[in-house]
Amino acid sequence: MDAFKKYLENAVYSSYNERVGISREEWQNQVKESSVRLQWDPDHDPFGGKLERRAIQIGLRNEFTRSFAKEDIILIENISDFVKEQYQFVLNGDLDNLILPEEKALLFDDEDLNKKLRLK
């Protein structure tokens, strides 16, 4: 979680929004300098339909790409067979057997970061 938090602390929104509290020019300068981009996308249900809930998407470049590849990855696991099995439940409308991760809203102890990410 430390690496993810580091990415978010250094992130700049990928599109300008006045609610961020800076000018468009200042935002453009931050985008040029930043190695982490951030945007909120719609989350999706098991059938691919868009939900009201949003999912965070980040893009990394420069030093953050290097740290991600060399320091921050904990485990890579091939779950292809599991996903194929789960997809069959979706295709058959058997969602009672679908194994979904338990999800909860992300909040940090850092109120400034929560505000930046519009988590509160």
Side-chain angles (χ1 to χ4, degrees):
M1 186 64 120
D2 291 338
F4 187 59
K5 184 178 178 189
K6 175 183 69 176
Y7 301 149
L8 296 175
E9 288 170 339
N10 288 279
V12 174
Y13 280 94
S14 59
S15 57
Y16 178 70
N17 188 318
E18 292 176 349
R19 291 186 294 172
V20 177
I22 59 175
S23 70
R24 180 176 292 276
E25 183 179 13
E26 188 176 350
W27 166 78
Q28 288 172 330
N29 289 333
Q30 287 182 4
V31 167
K32 287 178 191 172
E33 297 296 318
S34 175
S35 291
V36 184
R37 302 278 174 84
L38 161 71
Q39 67 185 40
W40 287 97
D41 290 338
D43 202 355
H44 296 84
D45 67 24
F47 298 102
K50 291 182 180 181
L51 300 172
E52 288 293 318
R53 181 177 64 188
R54 307 298 277 181
I56 200 165
Q57 180 181 23
I58 59 173
L60 307 176
R61 66 180 184 171
N62 301 328
E63 73 272 9
F64 285 98
T65 303
R66 287 186 285 283
S67 70
F68 176 78
K70 294 180 183 261
E71 301 163 18
D72 300 335
I73 294 174
I74 297 169
L75 173 72
I76 297 175
E77 185 175 352
N78 183 347
I79 62 168
S80 298
D81 291 338
F82 172 76
V83 171
K84 288 176 191 172
E85 175 187 284
Q86 295 300 298
Y87 186 54
Q88 288 305 308
F89 294 136
V90 173
L91 291 177
N92 296 327
D94 187 10
L95 299 187
D96 289 338
N97 284 313
L98 190 61
I99 299 173
L100 298 172
E102 181 180 334
E103 297 183 35
K104 57 185 175 184
L106 177 64
L107 281 178
F108 293 98
D109 292 333
D110 182 339
E111 289 303 316
D112 290 334
L113 182 56
N114 290 332
K115 183 179 176 183
K116 172 183 177 176
L117 299 173
R118 299 182 214 138
L119 296 176
K120 280 190 165 182

